[in-house]
Amino acid sequence: MGGLALAAPWLLLALAALPALWWLLRVTPPAARRVRFPALRLLMGLQPREETAARTPWWLLALRLSIAALLIVGLADPVVNPPERLHGDGPLVLVIDTGWPAGATWGDTRAAARRWLDRAARSGKRVVVLPTARAAPDTPPGASRALDPAAARERVNALEPHPWPAELAAVREAVDALDFDGAATAVWLSDGVDAAGSRELAVALQRLGGLTVHRPAPTRRAKLLAPPDTGDPSFTVTLHRAGTGAPETVPVVARGADGRPVSTARARFAPDAATARATFDLPLALRNRVRRVAVRDAGTAGGITVLDPRWRRQRVGIAAARDAGRPLISAPYYLERAVRPFAQTRRAPLDELLDATPDVLILPDAGRLPADQRERLRAHIRDGGVAIRFAGPDLAAALAERENGQGKGLFPVPLRGGGRNMGGAMTWDDPARIAAFPDSGSLAGLTPPADVRVRKQVLARPGPAVSERTWARLGDGTPLVTGAREGDGWLVLVHTAADASWSDLPLSGTFVRILRRVSQLGAGTAERGGGTLPPHRLLDGFGELVPPYGAARALPTDADPPPLGPAHPPGLYGRGGGTHAHNLAPAVAAPEPLDDLPDGVTVAGLDGRDARHLGPWLIAAALALWLLDALAAMALRGALPRAGAAVLALGLVTLGAAPAPAQDTTAFAQKAAEATRLGYVETGVANVDRTARRGLAALSRTLARRTSVEPAEPMGVRLGRDPVVVFPMLYWPISRRQGALSEDAAAALRRFLDSGGTLVIDLREAAPGALGGDSPSARALRRLTRAVSIPPLVPVDSEHVLTKTFYLLQSFPGRTTGGRVWVEDTERTGSEVASVIIGANDWAGAWARDDSGEPLHAVTPGGSRQRELAYRVGVNLVMYALTGTYKADQVHVGAILERLEQ
Amino acid sequence: MTPTPRQRAERAGAGLPPLLLAAERVAAGVAPGVHGRRRVGSGETFWQYREYAAGDPASTIDWRRSARGDRLFVRQTEWEAAQCVWLWRDASPSMAWRSSETPPLKRERAEVLLLALASLLIRGGERVALFGTGARPSADRNTLPRLAALLDGSSGEAADLPPPRPVARHAQTVFVGDFLTNPEATLARMRTFAGQGVRGHLIQVLDPAEWELPYRGRVRFEGTEDEGAWLAPRAEGLRPAYRARIAEHTEALRAAARRVGWGFTRHRTDRPATAALLTVYHALSAARGRA
């Protein structure tokens, strides 16, 4: 297919009328606008300077002619890649795969079907549509009547892939039953996966006329995902592909009950391998949350496998002391080895296990249980736990004892006192074999092992319930495994010991299988044996879990799973928590490529170029040009507001602008928060800010050198613009020249104090009583903090924590001495740490050093001792801001020491 | 709520000091007002002392001043007189027009100017009257509302120029209109007034479109007063010629006004009314300065 064709070529004749249109347009000038104008007298008789355009301008003429031409050509409906005609006089027989692999390439399949229908429509042929999978339980796939192409198109659009296999044999019968004259064109839109009877179908189709098989490229064919082996400790899924040849890596996603991904693994196909495995490395808690595993973007029911509780690794508790005497031949050892493949085990005394509430509780040879333990165990079982008891010498002894006392034990069936020996020196019986497992019990379907001999057992007291509660028997009919429902859980008794002393059973594989089967009882697995499971969530043809649809029926549980089909689509069955997974993977064979086709069949891919109709686009273009023409006509009459164009241009320009300040703030907060930093309030007075920055930088270096606090470079904060809450301590030098705080700035300070920040205010003026007095700094402070609620203050006394957070200090000198330090009165405000500290000694001035490490300002009265003390004040301040009052305990150290001495 | 023309007029005039008209030649017998004539005359404000001359009435001697010296002094007061100002605006259909939604109607703007001027004059103590209504000039508090009412009521007349009625000698006139008629006719009419010794001022109110001719393309212009129609195939081609013509027209009007010694002001409705008011104020002040 290719090229260009016209659907209605005769319409092009209308193009001949274009010259007439041209002439008409040329002589008709545009209509005049009417305007009332008072100064008409002045206007009358004026001659324009240039020649009037009494005729339509040439470009408008060209525009209108092209509109007409576009319309005519558009109506003639040119088609790119026009569909070819079909040969032969019979109908088109369209076989479309709708089995489970079809979902992977359904879009292409449908497009290919559409292309064939286009060809049929162009050739005027009827179409027989044949889906290959059944849509309803009782109607095998069959052929439609010979439909006209439009009806066939509807029919094809209504088709959808199903999550069950195709039935090619039934399709072949339908093909054989077709009856028409002449040679048909047969087309099979295959999913590329071989199925039983595909060659026969191809032969039958070929007999109708020529057969063309479309199949997708090998990498796009559906893959089949097999669920992990329930016994496999690792969580590994197997992926099958149709055909080999190229290496391929397929991502596989494990999802939880809510559909969220839990983990992702990759299945890598070696070039010659048709299967690949993907292992999920998951902790048990996560692994138990996996409810389905799916190939990413598989699009088929084969690409997803749903899991039921059988795949959950259970927690199995084995009630036994941790240090058994003979670890390698004791019962707990056998049990651990048997259970480990499918569950996580834990060995502990019964009391501890009951606290941990494992899914399954195994009691190997527990004799008489204390009454309280028995009741706890019973309650545990009633709440849904499974308890598996094993017989043994202790149990036998307890039974013998009880024979006299007539006590009642916790057993599924009443037991007789004492045990039974077979095959011993003193017995006549041979050791017994295990008989076939009864069909009604939970162990139904297991194969009885031929080589297992049971030499000793405890016996059930005959009664009406015993038979139905017996899940496994010995050859002589005595029960070997009995189980009974207790509340929501199960109580199971194995009538022989869990070690090899009474029987060979613990040495056989049957032991493992019995334990696994029984363990699954406790995990919400839908009850086996009788009854049916209603559909819960089903897979559709595209591998999506959807509510039950169509003719889905309940899944019988007593026999092998029924074949997949409309009655039993794959998915989850069961009600409530107990679900049963019905998957494609074990039921259908691993996919094989569809290669075995008879000679003479045309094989093609699914891709192809669709016929594209240009007509609507041409007509749309004509419409757009017509709009343009209307605008041009308005412009010619002067009616087009020039402002419109300006607004448009303005809008385009403003699109480029973008807000930036928010980003700025975030960047600041990020930078400030990435390390512990000291912050200072930028006053806007250059030398004060510089001193504060250098002072805090020097203090930060001192802190890093002397303490475990290692602050990063200090940062200046513009109150109200930058976020301050990220700083533990904010230093604020008061300057008379600082402008009043804005509303935002005051709010930021309030937030800072409320969120536990420490604000250190430095009046930088060593006047005694500077705070309360009328000094310029105090006035400035009052002016600046008018909108901030400063808590009540007290002067720092010699007992205050500030004097001992790191260094022991008597005074708080800075560049000057003598100024008092005031702190929030924490006794009155009730806060742990003072949020406001007000000093007056210009601490930052004493701290500040230049780049070469020399002090920036002289201190008065002077001396290196004073500067050193100033740094100690700074260290104490920062320590106080960071650690709070924990050093307050030091207050009591004297008393403690005194007490110690006594 | 849109303000009434009167409100707008008072608002426009609020920023200016009371407008004092200069009178060149004022006949005796004009009603006295607060208008100082900067010359000796009858009034209440002290003007100057003059040495007694024979013939002065004895009652004019200021005895208190004379007692301070040997000679006798006569106390003279400044001559104060009120002026009559006759106002007129063009109410023809051509004034009830605007080119777009933005500028006001030309007539609206003319009335605003008129009332603003009247408001200023009354505050200056002048007496005003609407020309052609027959009302007597007055300067009391009710004059302005009455003027506004008269303006509202007299929309029927369609004269392009003020009717040639006799006006009291030495009165002032202010004529507001578009004066799109022949400048010769306007000059002739002004002459009839000037012949009576009346001074005046013309304010030409034009819409911006009448000034710019902003139209494009094929336009059929229709008159507002049954002048007919004119089809312009390309209006933008007419623009330079039209602009030259309207400028010429305005210049002719200005020249005509100058010939009779009147003032002339041009005003566009897209400019604030205050601007025109200021211009007229300056023109009238200039006239005073010449006095």
Side-chain angles (χ1 to χ4, degrees), chain A residues 73-207:
Chain A
V73 177
L75 288 174
D77 196 9
V79 183
V80 180
N81 303 323
E84 289 169 30
R85 289 177 172 280
L86 294 174
H87 303 291
D89 41 7
L92 170 69
V93 177
L94 199 54
V95 178
I96 301 178
D97 265 348
T98 53
W100 68 265
T105 51
W106 188 246
D108 288 349
T109 305
R110 214 177 234 189
R114 227 170 16 232
R115 284 194 293 276
W116 277 104
L117 290 173
D118 280 347
R119 294 182 66 177
R122 195 165 147 81
S123 319
K125 285 184 181 287
R126 300 198 149 257
V127 183
V128 177
V129 180
L130 261 148
T132 61
R134 64 172 74 198
D138 303 321
T139 37
S144 68
R145 331 180 255 105
L147 303 162
D148 64 65
R153 198 179 297 266
E154 277 175 33
R155 187 67 173 261
V156 167
N157 284 341
L159 287 181
E160 56 178 10
H162 299 296
W164 46 82
E167 291 167 63
L168 297 189
V171 177
R172 188 176 55 81
E173 281 169 25
V175 169
D176 287 341
L178 286 177
D179 179 27
F180 48 79
D181 300 330
T185 309
V187 175
W188 183 7
L189 301 175
S190 164
D191 50 33
V193 174
D194 201 6
S198 59
R199 189 182 167 87
E200 290 79 357
L201 175 61
V203 170
L205 284 171
Q206 206 173 15
R207 220 173 283 141

Side-chain angles (χ1 to χ4, degrees), chain A residues 387-399:
Chain A
I388 309 173
R389 300 192 65 169
F390 280 88
D394 288 353
L395 184 69
L399 286 174

Side-chain angles (χ1 to χ4, degrees), chain A residues 201-472:
Chain A
L201 175 61
V203 170
L205 284 171
Q206 206 173 15
R207 220 173 283 141
L208 296 176
L211 170 63
T212 306
V213 175
H214 289 272
R215 57 178 187 190
T219 50
R220 303 203 46 213
R221 289 176 198 162
K223 298 182 175 59
L224 183 64
L225 186 72
D229 185 0
T230 49
D232 190 359
S234 74
F235 193 64
T236 303
V237 291
T238 310
L239 194 58
H240 303 272
R241 65 172 175 178
T244 58
E248 198 180 349
T249 302
V250 181
V252 184
V253 187
R255 291 175 189 276
D258 49 2
R260 276 192 231 158
V262 174
S263 178
T264 304
R266 284 173 191 287
R268 289 196 172 77
F269 286 100
D272 298 329
T275 61
R277 296 164 77 78
T279 301
F280 292 90
D281 186 16
L282 285 174
L284 192 71
L286 275 181
R287 176 180 167 167
N288 283 343
R289 269 167 51 188
V290 175
R291 291 290 183 274
R292 57 184 194 258
V293 183
V295 175
R296 184 175 289 163
D297 304 328
T300 69
I304 177 169
T305 180
V306 289
L307 305 181
D308 63 28
R310 279 176 294 168
W311 279 274
R312 243 179 84 190
R313 261 175 89 77
Q314 290 166 317
R315 292 175 301 138
V316 174
I318 300 168
R322 284 196 188 82
D323 45 348
R326 293 170 298 170
L328 292 184
I329 57 168
S330 66
Y333 178 72
Y334 285 106
L335 288 168
E336 266 181 10
R337 293 298 298 264
V339 166
R340 190 164 288 157
F342 61 87
Q344 190 190 36
T345 59
R346 180 177 176 202
R347 194 199 290 194
L350 184 58
D351 267 337
E352 276 181 45
L353 285 181
L354 284 171
D355 288 342
T357 63
D359 300 313
V360 178
L361 201 60
I362 302 181
L363 295 95
D365 189 22
R368 173 187 288 277
L369 293 172
D372 59 327
Q373 276 191 11
R374 196 167 62 216
E375 286 317 307
R376 282 188 68 194
L377 182 59
R378 198 190 294 277
H380 174 72
I381 296 168
R382 291 222 163 109
D383 288 345
V386 172
I388 309 173
R389 300 192 65 169
F390 280 88
D394 288 353
L395 184 69
L399 286 174
E401 216 175 285
R402 208 192 54 187
E403 188 73 1
N404 310 326
Q406 290 293 325
K408 193 164 180 341
L410 189 58
F411 302 111
V413 290
L415 296 181
R416 282 166 52 174
R420 172 188 178 210
N421 275 330
M422 292 164 280
M426 300 294 288
T427 57
W428 286 271
D429 299 339
D430 288 332
R433 293 161 189 260
I434 297 176
F437 290 94
D439 286 340
S440 59
S442 288
L443 301 178
L446 290 183
T447 321
D451 51 349
V452 169
R453 300 286 183 276
V454 175
R455 292 179 295 276
K456 254 180 160 181
Q457 66 171 150
V458 292
L459 288 174
R461 189 175 288 166
V466 170
S467 167
E468 101 188 27
R469 291 183 177 181
T470 300
W471 292 355

Side-chain angles (χ1 to χ4, degrees), chain A residues 30 33 35 37 42 52 636, chain B residues 217-218 220 222 233-234 245:
Chain A
R33 192 150 68 104
V35 165
F37 195 66
L42 297 178
T52 319
L636 276 184
Chain B
R218 214 174 136 82
R220 181 183 165 86
E222 291 171 350
R234 270 170 52 82
R245 194 174 265 198

Side-chain angles (χ1 to χ4, degrees), chain A residues 820-843:
Chain A
R820 285 192 97 160
V821 178
W822 296 73
V823 296
E824 176 187 343
D825 187 355
T826 47
E827 284 181 16
R828 274 171 65 190
T829 58
S831 38
E832 288 278 317
V833 186
S835 56
V836 177
I837 301 167
I838 303 182
N841 285 333
D842 193 6
W843 289 314

Side-chain angles (χ1 to χ4, degrees), chain A residues 15 21 28 57 72 82 87 208 274 434 569 657 740 768 775 795 802 852:
Chain A
L15 284 174
L21 185 67
T28 316
I72 293 168
H87 303 291
L208 296 176
I434 297 176
S775 72
L802 259 183
S852 54

Side-chain angles (χ1 to χ4, degrees), chain A residues 793-807:
Chain A
L793 302 171
V794 287
V796 170
D797 57 11
S798 61
E799 293 296 307
H800 195 272
V801 193
L802 259 183
T803 62
K804 51 176 78 89
T805 48
F806 195 82
Y807 290 105

